């Protein structure tokens, strides 16, 4: 077979032991070069570590009231001061971060799970299934998210839901509002993927539905999912903070960044005790910004067609 | 003559044109309009015609990537369009498709070895442990190396990718391969390699090809019989030698006169067709070619010419022959 000459020769000259590079490893290499995105990621990781590990090293326990040390300004003893019940603001801030980050992460996971499964089903099977799922999604999308959350939050207070379980219900509420947008996105992607030529090849090869879905479609869906999921953590954290700020999300004594700001929501605290509201505000702001910067970096890497 | 491997009888494929608020069907694109031909085992049937003549749609309808509108497609005597989903899946490995674009026809996130071997697994042809050996064997026969198994498609050139596409089809040991302009996306030096690969595989495996192309020199090199399509209809079919020696249809003559020849000083009669191919949504009446035919008569505008036998297995649809 003399005709297969040049290409074979050329490729055999290549290094056989070269690192096998999938699109994934390529993308991750590119991501590591993006300093802004990496600093966002590092900040988020540090924030997680601080919130989940930090309180273990604190001499103060969350919720411990100390009448002798009320509204103390930041000092070496209390790095971020104390609140009107003499609780250490630093410890509370990190404890609150646990809740806020957990709610953000969990509601993102849940809404990505629901949204991608429903969207994938709608996009892959089309027809009546598609119609039903997408009309429900459209219905939820037509109503602005925050008002629904407010109503649901008010119902929680009305029904006197125990404080401990409110956190989990808030997660459910946030993913309930979050999935329709995601389902739309995934469905759209699915519709375009299933018309691609390699899917026609899969049909001609007579592959099983399961393999088409899990080996061909899902791997092409992952980049989009990862980007959207990352960006939606920030959104979920914000929504939870808003809800808690209005006393409709997670309520005291459980601390979240939102309800910490809410408890400083009066003129005296605002003017005289800025250490009560600046730290949680900064925590929300910086975490959400860091997540979004990282998410944007991920998108640049994983979605080459997207231009800034 | 022996039993044909593929028999296409009066095949029609119309694509609906939907528009308006209610998405009503306002017309049809007659991509394939009453086509008949058959392919004998072991031969290479070339399907030529300009862009939009419906060549690819014929190929895809034979494989049931499109549902037919009317007519029948028989593969080994079985009507492909009457099979249930399960029966169709069982028969799929016997007829494979090679795509025009070697870039979009490979999933960027599936390793080459997996892309080639997965169908074997899904059809239960081999056990998991045996797949690698078989795939490496096919890779080698397509001019690729065994270490390409774990590579991803983006690490390959266009020609190599097309070899991967060919390997993916060959691994199932098909009887029929439909090649949908398999070389038109490649540059000329690579085209020759791929065409020789096609020919070599046919000699060693006794394959039957339906080779779709708009490049007459490629078709002349590879095919034993040729069908000429225009606007969804078959204009002429004949053996290669007969068609190139004695083209009867004015469209075939025009196509042949457009083939570049390597002698620049040679004068020859070029038949230059005027205008574009008409819209297949609203094809001309009578003979579809009459709007561009230099010899068209009044009869051509009114009567659809019959696709008739003119001897030497030569069929033509023209009033003037």
């Amino acid at each position: 077979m003399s005709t297969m000459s040049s290409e074979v020769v050329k490729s055999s000259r290549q290094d056989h032991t070269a690192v096998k590079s999938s699109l994934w490893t390529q993308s991750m290499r590119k991501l590591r070069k993006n300093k802004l995105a990496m600093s966002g990621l590092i900040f988020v990781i540090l924030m997680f570590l601080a919130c989940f590990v930090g309180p273990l090293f604190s001499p103060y326990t969350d919720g411990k009231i100390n009448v002798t040390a009320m509204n103390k300004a930041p000092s070496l003893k209390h790095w971020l001061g104390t609140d009107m019940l003499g609780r250490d603001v630093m410890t509370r801030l990190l404890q609150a971060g646990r809740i806020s980050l957990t709610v953000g992460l969990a509601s993102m996971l849940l809404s990505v799970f629901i949204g991608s499964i429903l969207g994938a089903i709608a996009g892959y099977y089309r027809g009546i299934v598609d119609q039903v799922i997408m009309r429900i999604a459209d219905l939820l999308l037509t109503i602005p998210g925050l008002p629904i959350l407010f109503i649901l939050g008010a119902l929680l207070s009305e029904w006197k839901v125990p404080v401990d379980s409110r956190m989990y219900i808030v997660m459910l509420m946030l993913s309930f509002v979050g999935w329709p947008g995601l389902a739309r996105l995934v469905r759209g992607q699915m519709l375009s993927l299933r018309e691609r030529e390699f899917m026609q090849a899969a049909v001609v090869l007579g592959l099983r539905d399961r393999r088409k879905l899990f080996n061909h479609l899902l791997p092409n869906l992952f980049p989009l999912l990862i980007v959207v999921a990352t960006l939606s953590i920030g959104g979920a954290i914000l929504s939870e903070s808003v809800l808690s700020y209005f006393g409709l999300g997670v309520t005291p004594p459980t601390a979240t960044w939102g309800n910490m700001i809410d408890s400083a929501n009066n003129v005296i605290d605002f003017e005289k005790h800025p250490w009560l509201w600046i730290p949680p505000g900064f925590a929300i702001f910086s975490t959400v910004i860091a997540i979004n910067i990282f998410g944007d970096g991920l998108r640049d890497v994983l979605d080459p067609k997207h231009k800034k | 003559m022996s039993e044909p491997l593929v028999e296409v009888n009066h095949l029609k494929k119309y694509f609906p044109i939907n528009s308006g608020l209610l998405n009503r069907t306002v017309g049809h694109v007659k991509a394939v309009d009453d086509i008949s031909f058959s392919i004998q085992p072991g031969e290479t049937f070339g399907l030529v015609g300009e862009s939009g003549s419906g060549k690819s749609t014929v190929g895809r309808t034979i494989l049931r990537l499109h549902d037919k509108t009317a007519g029948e497609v028989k593969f080994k005597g079985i009507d492909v369009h009457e099979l249930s989903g399960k029966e169709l899946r069982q028969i799929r490995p016997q007829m494979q498709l090679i795509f025009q674009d070697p870039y979009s026809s490979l999933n960027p996130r599936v390793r080459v070895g997996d892309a080639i071997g997965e169908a074997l697994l899904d059809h239960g042809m081999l056990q998991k442990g045996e797949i690698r050996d078989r795939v490496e064997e096919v890779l080698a026969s397509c001019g690729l190396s065994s270490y390409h198994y774990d590579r991803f498609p983006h690490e390959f050139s266009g020609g190599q990718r097309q070899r991967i596409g060919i390997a993916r089809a060959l691994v199932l040991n098909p009887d029929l391969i439909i090649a949908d302009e398999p070389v038109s996306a490649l540059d000329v030096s690579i085209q020759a390699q791929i065409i020789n690969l096609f020919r070599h595989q046919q000699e060693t495996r006794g394959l039957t090809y339906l080779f779709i192309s708009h490049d007459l020199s490629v078709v002349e090199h590879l095919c034993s019989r040729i069908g000429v399509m225009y606007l969804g209809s078959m204009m002429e079919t004949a053996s290669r030698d007969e068609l190139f020696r004695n083209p009867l249809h004015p469209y075939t003559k025009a196509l042949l006169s457009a083939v570049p020849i390597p002698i620049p000083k040679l004068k020859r009669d070029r038949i230059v067709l005027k205008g574009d191919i008409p819209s297949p949504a609203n094809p001309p009446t009578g003979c579809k070619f009459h709007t561009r035919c230099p010899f068209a008569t009044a009869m051509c505008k009114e009567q659809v010419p019959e696709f008739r036998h003119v001897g030497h297995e030569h069929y033509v649809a023209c009033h003037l022959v």
Side-chain angles (χ1 to χ4, degrees):
Chain A
M1 280 201 288
S2 58
T3 49
M4 322 208 142
S5 52
S6 68
E7 279 186 80
V8 181
V9 174
K10 195 175 71 190
S11 47
S12 58
R13 253 190 248 125
Q14 287 167 7
D15 190 2
H16 287 220
T17 54
V19 186
K20 291 164 197 160
S21 77
S22 69
L23 288 182
W24 281 118
T25 48
Q26 275 191 355
S27 303
M28 291 308 116
R29 216 176 297 140
K30 259 190 257 167
L31 183 66
R32 251 176 268 134
K33 282 192 195 135
N34 184 339
K35 292 208 178 77
L36 195 64
M38 286 320 281
S39 54
L41 177 66
I42 289 167
F43 184 87
V44 175
I45 291 173
L46 287 180
M47 192 55 122
F48 265 85
L49 280 179
C51 292
F52 286 87
V53 184
L56 303 179
F57 299 101
S58 163
Y60 311 101
T61 42
D62 176 44
K64 186 166 180 242
I65 296 168
N66 184 353
V67 203
T68 59
M70 291 194 302
N71 289 332
K72 285 276 188 323
S75 62
L76 275 180
K77 209 172 154 206
H78 298 282
W79 289 0
L80 291 174
T82 59
D83 65 5
M84 68 286 208
L85 295 174
R87 295 174 293 193
D88 181 54
V89 172
M90 182 74 182
T91 312
R92 244 174 100 68
L93 184 75
L94 297 180
Q95 294 277 12
R98 280 189 188 179
I99 307 290
S100 292
L101 292 174
T102 312
V103 169
L105 207 60
S107 62
M108 173 279 284
L109 282 177
L110 200 60
S111 59
V112 166
F113 184 73
I114 302 173
S116 55
I117 286 191
L118 289 180
I121 290 174
Y124 187 70
Y125 289 104
R126 314 264 289 271
I128 188 81
V129 191
D130 184 17
Q131 289 290 326
V132 171
I133 294 175
M134 290 328 287
R135 290 305 81 75
I136 296 174
D138 284 347
L139 195 75
L140 284 172
L141 278 173
T142 50
I143 316 170
L146 269 181
I148 303 189
L149 291 177
F150 280 176
I151 295 168
L152 291 174
L155 282 176
L156 290 186
S157 306
E158 182 67 28
W159 292 335
K160 306 227 164 27
V161 175
V163 178
D164 298 339
S165 51
R166 276 194 83 124
M167 179 178 136
Y168 301 103
I169 296 175
V170 169
M171 289 177 195
L172 289 178
M173 281 159 52
L174 290 177
S175 37
F176 176 72
V177 189
W179 75 264
L182 243 153
R184 279 192 85 92
L185 221 61
V186 170
R187 171 181 173 269
Q189 188 79 0
M190 205 70 172
L191 284 180
S192 101
L193 278 176
R194 73 197 295 279
E195 300 302 327
R196 296 273 287 277
E197 219 160 49
F198 61 77
M199 288 315 294
Q200 294 189 354
V203 172
V204 174
L205 290 168
L207 300 185
R208 293 176 193 282
D209 270 10
R210 195 161 14 108
R211 188 181 297 275
K212 281 188 224 160
L213 203 59
F214 289 104
N215 292 25
H216 287 267
L217 292 171
L218 274 184
N220 282 290
L221 218 56
F222 270 134
L224 173 86
L225 279 183
I226 289 175
V227 171
V228 180
T230 310
L231 291 174
S232 79
I233 300 178
I237 291 176
L238 269 185
S239 302
E240 182 274 327
S241 302
V242 171
L243 274 184
S244 299
Y245 177 78
F246 285 105
L248 297 167
V250 182
T251 46
T254 312
T256 74
W257 290 337
N259 69 29
M260 279 177 79
I261 300 181
D262 179 38
S263 61
N265 185 17
N266 56 63
V267 184
I268 299 167
D269 282 338
F270 185 76
E271 287 181 351
K272 301 266 168 62
H273 313 131
W275 59 88
L276 291 183
W277 54 269
I278 289 179
F282 178 76
I284 297 172
F285 172 78
S286 53
T287 309
V288 173
I289 291 261
I291 289 174
N292 284 349
I293 286 175
F294 175 61
D296 278 345
L298 262 182
R299 177 163 55 201
D300 289 346
V301 168
L302 293 177
D303 180 8
K305 279 175 227 138
H306 181 88
K307 291 274 182 302
K308 269 193 248 181
Chain B
M1 230 191 313
S2 58
E3 168 94 344
L5 185 70
V6 180
E7 221 182 324
V8 176
N9 290 324
H10 303 288
L11 183 70
K12 290 181 185 174
K13 174 64 197 174
Y14 295 173
F15 292 102
I17 307 167
N18 296 329
S19 79
L21 199 60
L22 296 170
N23 215 18
R24 264 195 310 226
T25 303
V26 292
H28 288 96
V29 172
K30 296 175 178 171
V32 177
D33 200 5
D34 201 352
I35 273 196
S36 304
F37 62 95
S38 60
I39 306 175
Q40 300 298 323
E43 80 171 343
T44 303
F45 189 92
L47 208 50
V48 295
E50 63 196 294
S51 311
S53 56
K55 315 177 292 281
S56 296
T57 312
V58 171
R60 279 157 197 251
T61 314
I62 291 174
L63 290 169
R64 210 171 152 185
L65 274 175
H66 300 311
D67 284 322
K68 65 173 184 185
T69 305
E72 61 175 9
V73 176
K74 279 189 172 166
F75 176 74
K76 293 183 174 174
I78 307 162
D79 191 334
V80 177
H81 285 261
E82 297 299 323
L83 294 175
S84 72
K86 202 178 158 197
E87 292 165 327
L88 183 67
R89 217 179 74 79
Q90 281 168 351
I91 204 174
R92 284 238 184 253
Q94 300 175 31
M95 36 201 245
Q96 284 302 308
L97 177 65
I98 288 164
F99 291 87
Q100 172 177 12
D101 182 357
Y103 290 89
S104 62
S105 58
L106 293 171
N107 190 334
R109 297 188 186 274
V110 176
R111 284 174 199 274
V112 167
D114 295 334
I116 298 172
E118 61 187 354
L120 290 170
L121 207 61
D122 260 16
H123 288 288
M125 291 170 157
L126 286 179
Q127 296 301 310
K128 213 162 191 164
E130 305 162 332
I131 296 224
R132 192 170 181 116
D133 284 345
R134 170 85 179 118
V135 170
E136 285 181 359
E137 183 191 317
V138 174
L139 277 175
S141 81
C142 290
L144 295 160
S145 308
S146 54
Y147 68 87
H148 288 141
Y149 188 98
D150 294 306
R151 296 280 173 94
F152 284 88
H154 65 85
E155 298 174 70
F156 293 88
S157 68
Q160 287 176 313
R161 281 163 178 249
Q162 200 57 294
R163 289 174 192 273
I164 295 167
I166 294 168
R168 179 171 66 181
L170 288 177
V171 78
L172 294 167
N173 265 330
D175 298 307
L176 171 72
I177 284 190
I178 296 184
D180 188 358
E181 307 216 18
V183 296
S184 58
L186 307 173
D187 68 48
V188 179
S189 59
I190 310 291
Q191 281 191 8
Q193 295 177 10
I194 297 293
I195 286 165
N196 286 328
L197 173 63
F198 269 103
R199 178 173 265 181
H200 177 79
Q201 293 296 341
Q202 183 168 42
E203 283 160 9
T204 50
R205 293 168 194 260
L207 289 165
T208 307
Y209 290 130
L210 172 59
F211 196 91
I212 299 168
S213 179
H214 58 242
D215 187 340
L216 276 166
S217 37
V218 169
V219 167
E220 183 184 10
H221 184 69
L222 200 62
C223 299
S224 47
R225 243 161 24 99
I226 297 170
V228 180
M229 276 185 79
Y230 182 78
L231 212 56
S233 299
M234 196 69 95
M235 293 289 147
E236 187 167 7
T237 49
S239 71
R240 174 191 57 188
D241 298 337
E242 170 78 11
L243 192 89
F244 277 86
R245 198 177 342 109
N246 181 25
L248 293 175
H249 199 286
Y251 182 59
T252 315
K253 287 177 185 165
L255 283 184
L256 289 178
S257 82
V259 176
I261 43 172
I263 309 158
K265 284 188 179 145
L266 193 72
K267 290 264 191 309
R268 55 173 182 171
D269 297 327
R270 271 284 266 125
I271 304 172
V272 180
L273 295 179
K274 290 188 196 74
D276 284 328
I277 191 164
S279 160
N282 186 19
T285 55
C287 174
K288 285 178 176 172
F289 187 56
H290 83 253
T291 52
R292 297 170 79 192
C293 182
F295 314 110
T297 62
M299 181 167 67
C300 298
K301 287 179 188 157
E302 284 147 26
Q303 278 182 31
V304 180
E306 197 191 338
F307 193 59
R308 57 206 164 83
H309 191 217
V310 291
H312 305 295
E313 288 299 307
H314 195 150
Y315 294 82
V316 68
C318 183
H319 292 302
L320 304 171
V321 178

